[in-house]
């Protein structure tokens, strides 16, 4: 009951007791008792009389105004930390470049430093809880990364418990795509959608799965690991150790690798020029620059990447019949060509029944989605615990 | 409450009122009231005193002994009809060859004829409800097939309402793989497994998805349509109108087509001999015969089919991280070579974390799984309605 009341107030905003009773299909007496209890715990508060609908006036209820959560989104090359209120509105947020390959001690020290800065900025002494997202597979129940391909040194490191000790509050650890998915569900384009996929195309590729409004994690917690679907036997080496993975063809790292090869071989003069100007290895963003300059090889590369992603998405559409696909991650900043190809190939290779009303859209939130999502994951956990911690 | 009590009695067998209260986490008073009400409706009955556990003896409750369901499983080339008790134990079952391409009127007339035979055999006047499964996509809520590739003439035909009128009882219509999946969950190898995939390889290929104990149908009801995942651009023509679908490479119809081509071209003398003996087109079963005779071309064909299925299953494992994959359908009768290849390719192409504890097993129920599953689908529906119909 507590979790359901608090989730409604979080997701729907302030509600009268009558509205709460209606939405949760329980009696008004039950709601009155529960709201009083939540008030004593410091989780909810009266918010004045409701607008009259005739008859006796109901009282508005809101989340306690002083609830604060911390959301930490760690990526391959940078991290974002934000402070939210109980409804997951961002009060302060900061980013910091940071290489995940420095290992957990160094990266978590930076995360904590940024966390203390944003907490101070928002005037928060201690948050009610913190959510943290990392770019790799996670054992959600143990709060540790599990064999994360692009996170050397993190395997089995007690991220959740280490942060919980430092911050003095409960912490949940999840992977970045799950956080992005629930962030988008809370505050982005997937709001009010109950069954959707969030596909992140960054350095790597992954997928968050929301079924009936809830994250689906799979039996071992590794559902959505679509970056390592093998799209071709043989094929290029992947960071995971296998060959021919989607990520090895279509992720940001793969685009960058191909771009450098095209530049060095001279097959693309546009990329060769960019390489000379930069004086260091090209990135996926350089491919987008070359596309905007009309470089045919870069356009071919981008389209080929989109085609591979689209082929995998088409099979997921046939299997899963989602209501919406949200594309997010750094690669979405690369312009129209990639997304157009993903859409075209996905629609062309799926059954008409499954794609008749299937929007494929770009994330509205960008990096902030991970911070909001991480905050939402800890709010789910904190709101479900029957005592204020 | 009614649905939960009846489902427990169906799935767990007779229970004492104390056990029922424990398993549903409600008070004993609530259970006593509900059981009395179900007794009046003729859905449940007292089943004598429970074994003493010290203290006051509880009363055993069971489903009413006279509950009967009808399960109808229609395949591409034959149908099975069975009568079950309230716990979905088969009391009588009959099969009849029947070509789905004869269209709905002719096929449903045969189904009704067989239904009347098994009902008479089981001494049943009118069943409490009937479930019917067909080999194609279905709009579950409207009770009609939707653009079913191998069912000419069935598109939009009101199967549910027509049967309901004839049988005088409520009817649900679903696709065959969904029925097979819940049949396996109720009485087969997936018993007690909450997240699994049932992959049917027959004339066509499809997948039933069970999440958290419930069928997942997708947003438009067409989840699990994996037979039409495109495994190669171009590729052979599929019954659905597209090219390169999994089904066009690996279904029973594809095996038969390839076998006939190998026989006629003389590339396989074993298949050529079988074709001459039979005097009519070869079937997938003939490929199995030729494999058992040591024909290398037939073995290659069977392995290639297994490889295609395994590649698709590997991507579903990465995406969905299921706890179990059950393989069913006629093609599972074709021997070891196919299943061995499916297993090898699925395991080889999936992440270790997702396949570490992933059994890939053969269905225990065969055709009866569809009948039991269809009965289970209507029992879910009937048990959830608050009055005996």
């Amino acid at each position: 009951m507590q979790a359901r009341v608090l989730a409604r107030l979080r997701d729907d905003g302030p509600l009268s007791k009558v509205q709460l009773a209606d939405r949760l299909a329980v009696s008004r007496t039950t709601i009155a008792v529960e709201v009083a209890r939540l008030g004593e715990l410091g989780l909810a508060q009266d918010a004045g009389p409701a607008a009259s609908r005739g008859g006796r006036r109901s009282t508005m209820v809101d989340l306690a105004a002083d609830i604060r959560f911390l959301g930490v989104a760690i990526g391959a090359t940078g991290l974002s930390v934000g402070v939210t209120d109980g409804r997951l509105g961002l009060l302060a947020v900061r980013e910091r470049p940071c290489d995940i390959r420095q290992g957990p001690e160094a990266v978590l020290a930076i995360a904590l430093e940024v966390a203390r800065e944003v907490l101070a900025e928002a005037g928060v002494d201690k948050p009610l809880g913190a959510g943290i997202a990392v770019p790799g597979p996670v054992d959600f129940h143990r709060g540790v990364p599990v064999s994360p391909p692009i996170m050397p040194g993190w395997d089995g490191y007690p991220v959740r418990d280490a942060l919980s000790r430092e911050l003095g509050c409960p912490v949940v650890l999840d992977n970045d795509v799950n956080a992005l998915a629930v962030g988008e569900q809370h505050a982005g384009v997937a709001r009010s959608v109950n069954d959707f996929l969030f596909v992140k195309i960054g350095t790597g590729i992954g997928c968050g799965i929301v079924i009936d409004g809830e994250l689906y994690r799979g039996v071992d917690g590794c559902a959505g690991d679509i970056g390592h679907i093998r799209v071709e036997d043989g094929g290029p080496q992947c960071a995971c150790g296998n060959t021919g993975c989607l990520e090895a063809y279509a992720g940001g790292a793969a685009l960058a690798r191909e771009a450098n090869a095209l530049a060095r071989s001279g097959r693309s003069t546009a990329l060769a020029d960019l390489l000379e100007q930069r004086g260091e290895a090209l990135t996926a963003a350089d491919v987008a620059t070359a596309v905007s300059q009309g470089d045919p090889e870069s356009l071919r590369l981008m389209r080929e990447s989109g085609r591979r992603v689209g082929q995998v998405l088409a099979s997921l559409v046939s299997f899963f019949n989602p209501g919406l696909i949200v594309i997010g991650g750094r690669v979405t900043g690369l312009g129209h060509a990639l997304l157009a190809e993903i859409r075209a190939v996905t629609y062309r290779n799926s059954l008409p029944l499954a794609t008749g009303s299937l929007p494929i859209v770009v994330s509205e939130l960008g990096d902030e989605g991970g911070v909001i999502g991480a905050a939402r994951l800890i709010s789910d956990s904190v709101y479900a615990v029957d005592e204020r911690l």
Side-chain angles (χ1 to χ4, degrees), chain A residues 100-192:
Chain A
I100 192 91
R101 292 171 298 184
Q102 292 177 271
E105 269 108 8
V107 172
L108 293 180
I110 297 170
L112 280 167
E113 188 184 302
V114 181
R116 293 198 176 101
E117 289 170 19
V118 283
L119 287 169
E121 184 186 334
V124 177
D125 186 31
K126 202 177 79 169
L128 210 50
I132 174 164
V134 294
V138 157
D139 184 325
F140 182 74
H141 297 289
R142 291 197 300 134
V144 302
V146 179
S147 309
I150 64 167
M151 298 170 65
W154 290 75
D155 187 18
Y157 189 88
V159 176
R160 180 191 63 197
D161 294 348
L163 273 188
S164 181
R165 206 166 41 238
E166 291 291 332
L167 292 166
C169 66
V171 172
V172 293
L173 173 71
D174 210 328
N175 71 58
D176 56 351
V177 282
N178 281 348
L180 287 164
V182 297
E184 206 71 32
Q185 183 188 16
H186 188 80
V189 70
R191 226 185 133 88
S192 84

Side-chain angles (χ1 to χ4, degrees), chain A residues 72-75 77-81 94-98 107 110-111 114:
Chain A
V72 181
I74 299 181
T77 57
L79 56 83
S80 299
V81 184
R94 291 190 185 195
E95 297 182 15
R96 189 75 46 92
C98 166
V107 172
I110 297 170
V114 181

Side-chain angles (χ1 to χ4, degrees), chain A residues 141-355:
Chain A
H141 297 289
R142 291 197 300 134
V144 302
V146 179
S147 309
I150 64 167
M151 298 170 65
W154 290 75
D155 187 18
Y157 189 88
V159 176
R160 180 191 63 197
D161 294 348
L163 273 188
S164 181
R165 206 166 41 238
E166 291 291 332
L167 292 166
C169 66
V171 172
V172 293
L173 173 71
D174 210 328
N175 71 58
D176 56 351
V177 282
N178 281 348
L180 287 164
V182 297
E184 206 71 32
Q185 183 188 16
H186 188 80
V189 70
R191 226 185 133 88
S192 84
V193 181
N194 271 330
D195 296 76
F196 71 95
L197 303 180
F198 184 100
V199 178
K200 181 201 164 198
I201 313 177
T203 305
I205 296 178
C207 178
I209 307 167
V210 174
I211 299 177
D212 205 13
E214 302 286 332
L215 268 182
Y216 175 79
R217 299 175 194 278
V219 165
D220 304 292
C222 59
D225 209 346
I226 65 169
H228 302 288
I229 288 178
R230 181 174 291 189
V231 293
E232 209 149 287
D233 280 339
Q237 182 80 30
C238 180
C240 75
N242 283 333
T243 57
C245 297
L246 173 63
E247 198 167 296
Y249 281 102
L255 273 177
R257 185 196 61 224
E258 291 293 316
N260 284 297
L262 286 170
R264 295 206 178 94
S265 71
R267 272 191 291 156
S268 160
T269 48
L271 289 172
D273 290 350
L274 282 168
L275 181 61
E276 199 179 317
Q277 283 165 35
R278 298 201 33 160
E280 58 178 16
L282 297 172
T283 67
D286 294 312
V287 183
T289 306
V291 169
S292 70
Q293 294 168 356
D295 177 44
E297 283 296 313
S298 296
L299 183 60
R300 188 192 55 73
L301 202 59
M302 198 74 94
R303 283 205 178 131
E304 177 64 13
S305 171
R307 183 176 74 83
R308 298 285 187 181
V309 173
Q311 282 176 333
V312 167
L313 291 191
S315 41
L316 301 186
V317 167
S318 293
F319 172 71
F320 190 66
N321 186 203
L324 171 71
I325 294 178
V326 184
I327 312 275
R330 284 292 160 83
V331 166
T332 57
L334 301 190
H336 179 67
L338 181 74
L339 191 71
E341 191 70 17
I342 290 175
R343 281 204 182 103
V345 174
T346 305
Y347 288 138
R348 193 164 64 227
N349 288 341
S350 307
L351 287 182
L353 183 59
T355 52

